[in-house]
Amino acid sequence: MYKVRSPVVLCVFNRPELTKQVLDRILSIQPELLFVVADGARSDRPDDQALCLETRAIVESARAHCEVRVNYSDINMGCKNRIATGLDWVFSQVTEAIVLEDDCLADVSFFEYCDELLKRYRDCNDIHMISGSNYLMGRKFTEASYYFSRCYHIWGWATWSRAWKDFDVRMRRWPKLRESDWVENYLPTKEMSKVARYFFNETYAGRVDTWDYQWVLSGWLNNAYAIVPTVNLVTNIGFGAQATHLHNEDDPFANLHATSMKMPMKHPEMRIVDEAADLYEFDLLYGRHAFSKRKSFRRLISWLKRTIRAFKPHREADRNG
């Protein structure tokens, strides 16, 4: 069994059963250091207190296996502030880490993949993150083991403190940027620009309690890319009635099968965005295939509000807020 070298971060809230599955997978690769970021119970949800305590008890059991550092909130901070402050805490202590949330069950090879690429791209400022998810439904555009993308998938990922320092949860540069053509100049199509503008505006206005659009913006502002594996390495096991947004268990991305990465990896020859892969992903999620029955932009926006994600079909990690 592979033994992970990098610190691992587990973000949890009030889902003990899912947390145990993900924690067991993490412990199977024998981390030396595990960080746990936990949100507090919501005052208007009677069951939260007990569920949060049960979840934390499961986390505490990991102390028998590795060093565990915890950051438990006494109050409910919500997804945006809990993840943002939690990762601030993590990256004040280490220079790189692998991040999983309580419903992201990673294949064992995901950890070896992250370890190798964290080391390989440690000093490359044009790489902001390493994603574990691939949403191309088996379609491949390269013979390499991974490609470079503008799409930031957070169902299992890794990054460096040098990249996280650029993160601005308040999106303070957005008001000025949205008055310019910056988004249109950065993205290859008008359709992508419309979707990006919509979600940046919604996040800045506080209508979406999340942190990941801010993370996308910070990467784009630094002309930095994400690494995406050519096979999917992480299964989201959190779809269902108890999820914050991903209620539809029939969603094609629910329980998306995770495949092992073939080692040793084959690295791309050039460090440039795979435009064909990015355009294909956008078309699957928001283009003619996704909207063949949605004929108006108003219907498109309505659907986007329900999915609450841009450029990726991921969700808020827990049931906060």
Side-chain angles (χ1 to χ4, degrees), residues 4 28 73 100 115 141 156 195 201 245 252 257 261 275:
V4 68
S28 76
S73 177
L100 287 165
D115 268 349
F141 292 85
V195 174
N201 280 330
H245 295 294
H257 179 68
M261 173 70 73
E275 297 286 4

Side-chain angles (χ1 to χ4, degrees), residues 52-320:
C52 287
L53 289 174
E54 185 179 351
T55 300
R56 295 181 187 189
I58 289 169
V59 166
E60 291 295 328
S61 70
R63 293 188 186 277
H65 304 276
C66 62
E67 179 183 351
V68 179
R69 301 180 191 176
V70 299
N71 189 304
Y72 294 161
S73 177
D74 294 330
I75 61 171
N76 185 263
M77 300 175 68
C79 182
K80 178 176 74 173
N81 291 320
R82 177 67 290 211
I83 299 295
T85 58
L87 292 181
D88 285 345
W89 170 73
V90 169
F91 289 113
S92 71
Q93 301 174 68
V94 295
T95 58
E96 56 198 37
I98 298 168
V99 183
L100 287 165
E101 301 178 41
D102 62 2
D103 55 2
C104 296
L105 187 63
D107 183 83
V108 170
S109 64
F110 162 76
F111 299 96
E112 184 174 1
Y113 155 85
C114 287
D115 268 349
E116 181 172 342
L117 297 185
L118 281 170
K119 180 179 179 180
R120 183 180 182 89
Y121 295 105
R122 185 172 289 155
D123 300 318
C124 299
N125 291 329
D126 58 338
I127 307 299
H128 250 210
M129 72 174 295
I130 301 159
S131 296
S133 299
N134 178 296
Y135 305 133
L136 300 183
M137 297 298 187
R139 178 74 180 270
K140 291 187 178 181
F141 292 85
T142 176
E143 294 302 315
S145 300
Y146 58 90
Y147 63 93
F148 301 99
S149 173
R150 296 186 184 90
C151 304
Y152 282 37
H153 305 153
I154 62 162
W155 284 355
W157 58 291
T159 194
W160 305 264
S161 58
R162 62 153 175 86
W164 188 255
K165 69 178 175 56
D166 296 324
F167 177 76
D168 176 17
V169 73
R170 294 170 57 189
M171 301 175 69
R172 283 168 287 196
R173 294 180 63 182
W174 177 241
K176 184 174 181 180
L177 289 169
R178 69 182 171 190
E179 300 304 319
S180 70
D181 295 328
W182 175 79
V183 173
E184 287 72 19
N185 292 333
Y186 188 79
L187 297 174
T189 71
K190 292 181 179 179
E191 291 77 13
M192 283 185 173
S193 300
K194 288 178 180 178
V195 174
R197 277 188 174 276
Y198 172 77
F199 281 105
F200 287 151
N201 280 330
E202 290 293 288
T203 303
Y204 182 79
R207 289 186 286 270
V208 181
D209 178 34
T210 193
W211 59 274
D212 50 336
Y213 298 129
Q214 299 93 314
W215 178 229
V216 172
L217 183 62
S218 72
W220 290 1
L221 285 171
N222 285 276
N223 291 312
Y225 312 139
I227 290 173
V228 177
T230 52
V231 295
N232 183 51
L233 299 175
V234 182
T235 299
N236 187 296
I237 57 174
F239 283 76
Q242 292 186 330
T244 301
H245 295 294
L246 301 187
H247 303 296
N248 182 11
E249 295 182 49
D250 295 325
D251 189 291
F253 296 101
N255 296 301
L256 189 65
H257 179 68
T259 302
S260 293
M261 173 70 73
K262 184 178 180 180
M263 299 293 179
M265 285 190 285
K266 182 178 180 180
H267 301 284
E269 294 181 359
M270 301 180 66
R271 210 159 66 226
I272 58 174
V273 166
D274 190 326
E275 297 286 4
D278 275 7
L279 289 169
Y280 185 79
E281 179 177 326
F282 182 86
D283 186 51
L284 279 178
L285 300 176
Y286 307 110
R288 63 182 182 275
H289 292 111
F291 299 108
S292 59
K293 296 181 180 179
R294 301 176 177 89
K295 297 182 179 180
S296 71
F297 186 69
R298 179 176 295 178
R299 289 182 181 178
L300 166 60
I301 292 301
S302 176
W303 185 82
L304 289 172
K305 286 180 178 178
R306 295 196 299 273
T307 60
I308 314 297
R309 283 297 178 264
F311 299 108
K312 51 197 180 301
H314 65 69
R315 81 298 161 242
E316 294 177 20
D318 53 30
R319 293 169 54 201
N320 291 349

